[in-house]
């Protein structure tokens, strides 16, 4: 049990902290919480002529002031609760188990009315920020690469569209060889707008006719490979008259 001298010392400390908090809340108008709006807190009549980024900054400051006010008011309530326990003769006794609270704990947290085992503050919230579902890892729920048969445009594709114009990464940051800084981003070698390399330079109309070949780096590589192998296509030589390029059936009507 606490001695009368210890109780008197704790009461003096709590009363002094209570007075300081009350004066602080009065002097800063409860961190400006009693003002009507964020723009009012910074002396603006309205947000009409402000840039959205400026409004966002003011909103952040407003949210911070509200959080600080809630924290300070909670601290004041805990002080008042501890002083009430002193008046009731229960200060230093845990509200849950009824066992004495160690003196060392009261020295560290004079406002507490719980022992360490039954402190409500030891419960860790499992709620995570909403932004984590969008940003982690690395593109949150908008990363569709792990889903089978998904060819949708996802967050990674959006990042690659932006990153090709330049990032703070250098070729040495990627751990792979790149020819120029325009390729200095993740999976820069990935095909964009087509799946097979062949589709990058070969094109047909709506009905599969009028094949055109566009001179690209991939087309040159394919031509070199076919010449080295002495074949007409990457699936071998094709019959001269055929119905389907991928079958051996001849078209007798031609």
């Amino acid at each position: 049990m606490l001695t009368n001298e210890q109780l008197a010392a704790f009461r003096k400390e709590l009363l002094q902290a209570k007075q300081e908090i009350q004066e602080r809340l009065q002097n800063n108008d409860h961190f400006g919480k009693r003002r009507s709006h964020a723009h009012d807190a910074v002396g603006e009549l309205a947000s009409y002529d402000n840039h959205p980024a400026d409004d966002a900054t003011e909103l952040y400051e407003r949210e911070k002031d509200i959080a600080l006010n809630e924290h300070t008011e909670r601290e004041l309530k805990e002080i008042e609760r501890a002083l009430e326990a002193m008046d009731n003769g229960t200060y230093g006794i845990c509200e849950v188990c009824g066992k004495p609270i160690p003196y060392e704990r009261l020295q560290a947290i004079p406002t507490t009315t719980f022992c360490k085992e039954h402190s409500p503050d030891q419960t860790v919230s499992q709620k995570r920020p909403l932004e984590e579902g969008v940003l982690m890892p690395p593109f949150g729920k908008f990363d569709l690469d792990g889903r089978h048969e998904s060819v949708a445009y996802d967050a990674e594709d959006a990042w690659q569209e932006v990153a090709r114009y330049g990032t703070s990464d250098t070729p040495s940051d990627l751990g792979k060889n790149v020819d120029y800084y325009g390729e200095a981003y993740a999976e820069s070698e990935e095909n964009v707008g087509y799946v097979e390399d062949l589709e990058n330079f070969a094109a047909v109309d709506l009905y599969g006719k009028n094949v055109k070949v566009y001179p690209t780096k991939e087309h040159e590589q394919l031509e070199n490979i076919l010449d080295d192998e002495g074949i007409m296509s990457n699936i071998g030589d094709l019959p001269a008259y055929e119905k389907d390029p991928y079958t051996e059936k001849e078209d007798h009507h031609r």
Side-chain angles (χ1 to χ4, degrees):
M1 296 295 295
L2 297 174
T3 63
N4 292 334
E5 290 77 8
Q6 291 172 336
L7 281 172
F10 282 130
R11 180 183 291 274
K12 180 179 179 181
E13 182 178 355
L14 291 172
L15 289 174
Q16 182 178 355
K18 179 180 179 181
Q19 181 179 359
E20 292 176 355
I21 291 177
Q22 288 176 332
E23 292 178 354
R24 189 192 317 160
L25 291 175
Q26 182 178 2
N27 292 336
N28 60 27
D29 195 20
H30 284 254
F31 292 90
K33 185 180 177 182
R34 295 176 181 175
R35 297 182 181 268
S36 59
H37 193 268
H39 57 240
D40 188 21
V42 294
E44 294 281 355
L45 296 178
S47 301
Y48 179 79
D49 59 342
N50 288 350
H51 190 280
D54 294 331
D55 274 344
T57 301
E58 295 174 7
L59 178 60
Y60 164 76
E61 294 294 336
R62 181 67 163 175
E63 292 173 341
K64 184 176 68 175
D65 290 338
I66 293 175
L68 290 173
N69 181 73
E70 291 180 353
H71 176 78
T72 305
E73 288 183 347
R74 177 186 175 186
E75 186 178 2
L76 180 60
K77 290 180 180 179
E78 290 177 348
I79 292 175
E80 293 174 345
R81 186 171 183 172
L83 291 173
E84 183 179 355
M86 285 185 178
D87 296 337
N88 298 333
T90 59
Y91 183 77
I93 304 297
C94 177
E95 292 186 11
V96 178
C97 63
K99 296 180 179 179
I101 302 174
Y103 179 71
E104 294 77 12
R105 175 171 172 79
L106 292 174
Q107 280 185 310
I109 314 175
T111 59
T112 186
T113 55
F114 300 93
C115 65
K116 179 181 178 180
E117 288 73 15
H118 297 101
S119 174
D121 292 334
Q122 67 184 351
T123 302
V124 179
S125 174
Q126 300 300 319
K127 294 182 179 179
R128 303 300 304 164
L130 181 62
E131 293 79 6
E132 288 187 0
V134 179
L135 302 176
M136 295 176 63
F139 301 105
K141 62 182 179 181
F142 299 106
D143 184 11
L144 307 179
D145 285 353
R147 304 182 185 180
H148 297 293
E149 301 180 357
S150 175
V151 293
Y153 188 90
D154 61 2
E156 182 186 19
D157 297 320
W159 163 247
Q160 290 171 345
E161 291 283 353
V162 177
R164 68 178 58 195
Y165 293 99
T167 67
S168 59
D169 292 336
T170 65
S172 61
D173 295 323
L174 301 178
K176 64 179 182 179
N177 295 327
V178 296
D179 295 332
Y180 64 103
Y181 273 84
E183 297 179 350
Y185 61 91
E187 298 185 3
S188 59
E189 69 283 355
E190 186 178 56
N191 296 332
V192 178
Y194 58 95
V195 178
E196 301 292 341
D197 292 338
L198 179 67
E199 301 175 12
N200 185 38
F201 55 83
V204 299
D205 63 9
L206 181 63
Y207 303 100
K209 299 179 181 180
N210 300 326
V211 177
K212 295 181 180 179
V213 176
Y214 297 93
T216 64
K217 181 176 64 176
E218 289 80 5
H219 174 243
E220 182 180 356
Q221 292 176 349
L222 178 61
E223 290 290 345
N224 293 334
I225 293 174
L226 296 179
D227 291 342
D228 293 340
E229 297 294 333
I231 57 178
M232 297 172 56
S233 72
N234 58 350
I235 61 174
D237 291 334
L238 302 177
Y241 301 101
E242 58 186 1
K243 181 179 181 181
D244 190 327
Y246 300 99
T247 67
E248 296 182 356
K249 295 181 181 180
E250 296 183 355
D251 186 358
H252 298 287
H253 300 285
R254 296 187 60 180

